[in-house]
Amino acid sequence: MTTTFSSNAMAEESQIQHSHSQQEEHFDVLTKDGVKTGISKPRGQVHRDGDYHRAVHVWIFAESTQQLLLQRRASCKDSWPDLWDISSAGHISAGDSSLVTARRELEEELGITLPKDAFELIFVFLQECVTNNGKFINNEYNDVYLVTTIDPIPLEALTLQETEVSAVKYIAYDEYKRLLAKEDSDYVPYDVHGQYGQLFDLIEKRYKENTVARSLTLQKQLSRYAPVSLNVELTGLTDSDKEALVFIVKAASVMDEIFWLQSWYSNPALRDWLKEHADTSELNKLKWSYYQINKSPWSCLDDDEAFLTTADSAIRLLSKATRTVSEWKGLEYRAAFPILKPASANFYPPDMDKMEFNLWNDSLAKDQQTEATSFFTVIKRHSEFILDSGLSNDKVASSKDLYIVPYSQEYKSLLAKAAKLLHKAGDITNSTSLKKLLHSKADAFLSNDYYESDIAWMELDSKLDITIGPYETYEDKLFGYKATFEAYIGIRDDEATAQLKLFGDNLQLLEQNLPMDNAYKSKYVNAAPIRVIQLLYNSGDVKGPQTLAFNLPNDERIVKDRGSSMVMLKNVSEAKFNHILIPIASACVAEEQQELVDFESFFTHTICHECCHGIGPHTITLPNGKESTVRLELQEFNSALEEAKADIVGLWALRFLISQDMLSESLLKSMYVSFLAGCFRSVRFGLEEAHGKGQALQFNWLYEKGAFVMHSEDKFSVDFSKIEGAVEGLSREILTIQAQGDKEAAGLFLKKYGVMTEPLKVALEKLENIQVPVDVSPTFPFADKILQ
């Protein structure tokens, strides 16, 4: 049963036109692969010449009735006149963006005004066809969006654009699929057995799922994390520090709120919805439990594959999305997120590509370019702001559609809340260095200038150890520019800290002896202070696999001027070693070498890994004489290659320190075998994750060189006669790519070695079969008490 509504029956017409409607519309011409050529042409010429171009398709789907909204194309249309078609569609004009076009077309054609979180990009469809006796050639890339409403929108609430749409109706999605399959002449044809079948497959999968099977999958995913309770003694803290700690924990919890938003714009709504509904069923409880580990709908251990869909997401009500209809409360929709995790996260517009950013960035003044690529800014669209504000429908010149917003403005209310709490803590503590850190970090949250607060962090000399702010750039998979907010609160382990001074004091010696050309070596490297802590609480970007240590800051200005500082999380390291590395060694390391896997080697290499982030190329001079940084040149390849560098150069550095009689010879064999076991641990994080990809690169290189050997019983051993040369060779390769800022070489190197090879598959399948946890999931009893 379908219901039809004609534009002729409407009491009034509303039509919104683009500001350049008097002129013929221009399209960006694409290559056959869908990449912009930089050329734009009038619409008529594009269809005459068969140029590839881009358009949007928007489907409105009603959950409760399982129906799709269709429009009948106006009789004046130059293709498929008078046939039933997509809810809304339109070409993307030259210089325009996909999502803004989708929103605008829906408003113009049907009178539906929706925010960006209503639109889910589900796939890209290439349509190649010829109509009108060969006069109309359509080679079109279509970005296909799904808008999921709870109930059908009353047809009388819609305002149809007469020149585009003659009528609308709802139809059951399976009935529509049947009509398309038999090529019914009343409907614009789509191949439901080809690319466009994805739309119907997606709907069917979401709404006809087996809840038992899904619950079992989530249970299996959860079981990969070993739950550990990190109880930390507060002995050694002064009364004033204990009092300050309460405010610090509360400030740290704000980092979660910011990070949820940085991951994806509808992520906070999803999080609140899952928490609110966690007790309504066993399945919902499992969804919430696994979300809490990943902090987004994408699973860290499954190469960011979505474990939730928009059908699981929050329901939002808009009372004024359409014209008012009596006794109808308004349009309810699901806050959407894409199945594929966006490389842009929420730092850039979701429909922005690299070419658009680079063209815009090149047009900016030098100081603005620095801001655009800064750790502490987001990039937005004027056209999106105009749509959101409802100020005007005038277009913005494409070259200036993007603009920069500092973190202090983007997260203003949350950062003000955290700053207030840190200032309170700073007023209470009697520790001079901690007081300085807390006040300077609070000021940085409001000013967006983190330089002084990061120096204060490096100089921190306090029993209570605090790291809080925007640091790591792993979430920005588009460029690796933007930093996520995080917090680590711990109690300093003075005895362990004293033992590790050796590493920080010898960074310059390590730099001078690095296996790379002397021209690339830094003449002066600052010593890296190392602090060992017992972790009491973490928040923000601490999703999925837990970090063992970190080396900060990442700001190249500070690394160049002052070096970096390292924090080791000893209780987290112990938990991982006991719950994960020992079982991995039993399963994957040859029996005669298993006893060489020990905590001292594991922990010592972790220290060296973090130290080695502070040496090697950071600020570099390119072949053309221009000064730059490794991060800016290698872009999306930087994180994985930097993690591989720190790992393999860390192994090289341990061997070097042993040769200088600074470390015991007894470490020599155990560090290599512990590293081998650690390879399998890190690769299980997934190859979309920087540490996992970097670890795969190292394992595959060392295996290729014969340093790692696979035996008949699918266990591995270290060939001690080959390992040193292989480690040095790989260190030289990575350091040279970084020093030359060679993005092409970095990409090819990761493509060749940062992959899932057969030996890795064999080891990982064995670990999955015996259900060795992949990582730990910590709880923090002390902090939980404060936050309750």
Side-chain angles (χ1 to χ4, degrees):
M1 187 82 180
T2 60
T3 310
T4 304
F5 179 69
S6 169
S7 59
N8 297 327
M10 296 174 58
E12 60 178 298
E13 279 300 333
S14 170
Q15 188 174 339
I16 306 168
Q17 296 290 347
H18 290 166
S19 59
H20 63 278
S21 59
Q22 305 306 314
Q23 307 164 10
E24 187 175 7
E25 194 175 14
H26 278 59
F27 300 156
D28 287 317
V29 176
L30 311 178
T31 66
K32 193 168 184 178
D33 296 326
V35 179
K36 285 182 183 177
T37 61
I39 299 167
S40 68
K41 289 168 65 173
R43 174 192 181 115
Q45 290 181 26
V46 166
H47 285 302
R48 180 197 69 196
D49 300 339
D51 293 314
Y52 286 83
H53 57 285
R54 193 171 288 278
V56 295
H57 289 184
V58 182
W59 294 92
I60 296 179
F61 175 73
E63 272 190 356
S64 63
T65 60
Q66 301 282 286
Q67 289 177 310
L68 288 163
L69 180 67
L70 303 187
Q71 64 159 270
R72 189 162 62 201
R73 297 169 67 82
S75 56
C76 59
K77 296 294 287 180
D78 52 7
S79 62
W80 313 112
D82 294 319
L83 298 191
W84 290 101
D85 198 5
I86 305 159
S87 310
S88 172
H91 289 103
I92 301 175
S93 299
D96 270 2
S97 67
S98 172
L99 182 54
V100 168
T101 300
R103 294 175 65 187
R104 188 186 286 133
E105 290 293 334
L106 194 59
E107 185 174 350
E108 290 182 1
E109 292 185 1
L110 302 182
I112 304 172
T113 305
L114 291 174
K116 67 180 180 181
D117 73 345
F119 294 79
E120 177 187 356
L121 180 64
I122 52 176
F123 59 90
V124 178
F125 163 61
L126 175 58
Q127 187 175 26
E128 296 172 298
C129 63
V130 181
T131 57
N132 294 0
N133 298 317
K135 295 176 184 174
F136 189 90
I137 307 170
N138 198 35
N139 291 324
E140 191 170 86
Y141 278 93
N142 297 284
D143 293 340
V144 182
Y145 291 92
L146 183 66
V147 173
T148 303
T149 64
I150 305 308
D151 298 310
I153 303 166
L155 300 185
E156 61 269 31
L158 303 179
T159 304
L160 308 191
Q161 185 180 16
E162 215 171 34
T163 55
E164 297 285 334
V165 185
S166 62
V168 287
K169 70 177 180 180
Y170 271 102
I171 183 171
Y173 84 90
D174 48 0
E175 169 65 7
Y176 180 47
K177 181 181 179 182
R178 189 184 64 77
L179 290 167
L180 290 176
K182 73 170 194 173
E183 299 180 8
D184 190 294
S185 60
D186 287 336
Y187 296 83
V188 174
Y190 293 100
D191 182 5
V192 294
H193 302 297
Q195 289 183 70
Y196 232 102
Q198 293 176 80
L199 170 68
F200 302 97
D201 293 345
L202 179 144
I203 292 171
E204 187 149 335
K205 186 178 178 185
R206 282 186 186 177
Y207 296 98
K208 293 186 178 179
E209 69 172 358
N210 182 326
T211 55
V212 173
R214 191 170 179 200
S215 294
L216 288 171
T217 299
L218 283 166
Q219 284 169 356
K220 188 176 179 182
Q221 289 175 309
L222 277 163
S223 71
R224 294 177 296 180
Y225 289 90
V228 294
S229 178
L230 297 182
N231 279 299
V232 178
E233 294 294 324
L234 302 186
T235 47
L237 285 190
T238 64
D239 289 342
S240 64
D241 278 356
K242 287 177 184 175
E243 190 182 343
L245 181 56
V246 173
F247 293 103
I248 293 167
V249 168
K250 288 178 179 177
S253 71
V254 179
M255 301 304 105
D256 268 336
E257 296 182 67
I258 299 174
F259 178 65
W260 294 326
L261 188 55
Q262 289 185 303
S263 296
W264 186 247
Y265 44 81
S266 64
N267 194 36
L270 170 66
R271 186 255 173 203
D272 292 345
W273 180 267
L274 293 173
K275 184 181 181 183
E276 183 185 338
H277 293 82
D279 294 331
T280 57
S281 72
E282 183 59 30
L283 177 58
N284 284 343
K285 185 179 179 182
L286 290 167
K287 289 178 193 174
W288 171 235
S289 295
Y290 199 51
Y291 175 90
Q292 286 178 284
I293 289 173
N294 293 281
K295 299 197 174 188
S296 82
W298 301 286
S299 174
C300 299
L301 291 181
D302 299 296
D303 294 336
D304 290 329
E305 183 181 317
F307 63 94
L308 299 171
T309 73
T310 295
D312 300 308
S313 193
I315 296 174
R316 292 187 151 177
L317 171 65
L318 292 176
S319 58
K320 296 181 179 177
T322 64
R323 64 165 67 205
T324 306
V325 173
S326 63
E327 296 184 10
W328 182 55
K329 62 181 178 181
L331 190 154
E332 287 185 299
Y333 71 93
R334 294 275 185 187
F337 54 85
I339 297 166
L340 297 176
K341 185 177 182 181
S344 60
N346 195 22
F347 300 118
Y348 311 91
D351 52 2
M352 186 202 80
D353 59 23
K354 285 188 163 190
M355 178 181 278
E356 181 184 3
F357 178 89
N358 288 330
L359 286 172
W360 167 72
N361 193 41
D362 289 345
S363 75
L364 301 176
K366 194 167 180 63
D367 60 333
Q368 286 185 300
Q369 288 182 350
T370 302
E371 283 296 297
T373 59
S374 161
F375 289 106
F376 316 124
T377 60
V378 296
I379 309 301
K380 298 204 157 192
R381 289 195 186 281
H382 286 296
S383 52
E384 188 179 298
F385 172 78
I386 286 168
L387 272 178
D388 288 340
S389 62
L391 294 175
S392 163
N393 282 287
D394 291 343
K395 289 193 177 181
V396 178
S398 61
S399 61
K400 298 295 180 184
D401 192 23
L402 301 176
Y403 67 99
I404 303 162
V405 180
Y407 280 4
S408 54
Q409 185 178 328
E410 179 70 0
Y411 314 117
K412 186 174 181 178
S413 61
L414 292 169
L415 287 172
K417 180 179 167 184
K420 188 176 179 181
L421 290 161
L422 290 183
H423 275 313
K424 278 185 180 177
D427 290 341
I428 293 166
T429 183
N430 291 323
S431 165
T432 305
S433 64
L434 181 58
K435 187 182 287 286
K436 183 181 177 183
L437 170 65
L438 295 171
H439 285 308
S440 63
K441 190 63 73 174
D443 291 341
F445 283 166
L446 304 181
S447 69
N448 216 49
D449 182 355
Y450 287 88
Y451 191 93
E452 292 304 324
S453 69
D454 280 342
I455 296 293
W457 177 82
M458 292 181 68
E459 294 173 347
L460 181 63
D461 182 16
S462 163
K463 188 73 177 174
L464 187 53
D465 198 280
I466 312 298
T467 302
I468 186 168
Y471 285 109
E472 304 292 5
T473 61
Y474 305 124
E475 197 73 2
D476 175 4
K477 288 187 167 68
L478 199 62
F479 290 108
Y481 294 156
K482 306 303 176 186
T484 48
F485 282 81
E486 62 185 40
Y488 292 88
I489 301 170
I491 309 299
R492 189 173 66 191
D493 184 326
D494 292 318
E495 185 182 343
T497 297
Q499 291 171 351
L500 302 181
K501 195 170 182 294
L502 160 78
F503 295 95
D505 288 350
N506 284 285
L507 285 189
Q508 186 64 57
L509 180 65
L510 292 171
E511 176 78 22
Q512 287 167 355
N513 288 278
L514 281 173
M516 67 173 177
D517 193 299
N518 287 332
Y520 301 138
K521 294 176 183 176
S522 298
K523 292 183 172 59
Y524 180 71
V525 175
N526 290 288
I530 304 173
R531 314 197 289 260
V532 180
I533 68 169
Q534 302 291 342
L535 185 65
L536 183 145
Y537 179 58
N538 68 10
S539 62
D541 188 3
V542 293
K543 64 185 187 303
Q546 295 295 295
T547 192
L548 297 172
F550 48 87
N551 187 291
L552 297 173
N554 290 320
D555 189 329
E556 296 93 348
R557 300 172 304 161
I558 299 174
V559 172
K560 187 179 179 183
D561 295 346
R562 299 289 295 270
S564 57
S565 190
M566 187 193 320
V567 176
M568 312 289 304
L569 313 179
K570 191 168 186 182
N571 54 347
V572 179
S573 296
E574 288 167 340
K576 290 202 186 204
F577 183 81
N578 293 326
H579 285 88
I580 299 159
L581 208 67
I582 290 296
I584 285 176
S586 297
C588 295
V589 174
E591 203 167 327
E592 67 274 13
Q593 291 189 357
Q594 284 179 16
E595 64 181 15
L596 292 169
V597 178
D598 62 27
F599 179 70
E600 184 188 2
S601 301
F602 174 67
F603 191 59
T604 306
H605 178 257
T606 304
I607 297 161
C608 232
H609 168 106
E610 296 304 330
C611 279
C612 289
H613 278 305
I615 60 174
H618 288 94
T619 300
I620 57 175
T621 303
L622 301 175
N624 63 8
K626 178 188 168 190
E627 190 170 276
S628 186
T629 67
V630 177
R631 177 178 68 91
L632 288 175
E633 295 306 316
L634 300 192
Q635 296 183 355
E636 72 270 25
F637 303 129
N638 179 61
S639 290
L641 207 66
E642 176 60 24
E643 289 307 323
K645 178 209 87 173
D647 249 355
I648 203 69
V649 174
L651 207 53
W652 168 87
L654 286 178
R655 179 66 188 94
F656 176 81
L657 293 172
I658 291 169
S659 73
Q660 302 296 303
D661 296 325
M662 294 182 186
L663 286 174
S664 168
E665 188 89 23
S666 65
L667 268 177
L668 194 56
K669 289 187 174 180
S670 61
M671 73 183 193
Y672 290 130
V673 182
S674 296
F675 179 80
L676 168 61
C679 283
F680 303 125
R681 182 184 72 85
S682 296
V683 170
R684 295 175 85 204
F685 298 159
L687 300 192
E688 289 300 308
E689 197 269 345
H691 298 79
K693 196 170 192 68
Q695 195 74 71
L697 181 153
Q698 295 168 82
F699 176 89
N700 290 327
W701 170 284
L702 295 172
Y703 185 82
E704 179 185 90
K705 305 302 177 192
F708 290 161
V709 180
M710 186 175 174
H711 301 285
S712 55
E713 66 277 22
D714 293 340
K715 291 195 174 186
F716 296 80
S717 66
V718 175
D719 184 332
F720 295 114
S721 69
K722 295 180 180 177
I723 187 74
E724 286 182 25
V727 166
E728 185 169 321
L730 179 54
S731 298
R732 182 176 288 106
E733 286 282 336
I734 294 174
L735 289 165
T736 303
I737 289 171
Q738 289 185 318
Q740 294 174 348
D742 192 339
K743 183 182 177 184
E744 184 182 2
L748 290 171
F749 202 51
L750 283 163
K751 186 178 180 181
K752 180 178 180 181
Y753 290 104
V755 293
M756 188 60 67
T757 54
E758 195 57 36
L760 283 173
K761 280 182 193 170
V762 167
L764 267 54
E765 282 171 13
K766 182 187 280 192
L767 295 174
E768 187 171 342
N769 289 339
I770 62 173
Q771 296 189 321
V772 174
V774 178
D775 209 70
V776 295
S777 175
T779 53
F780 306 102
F782 176 81
D784 289 345
K785 230 179 265 185
I786 292 171
L787 297 173
Q788 280 170 5

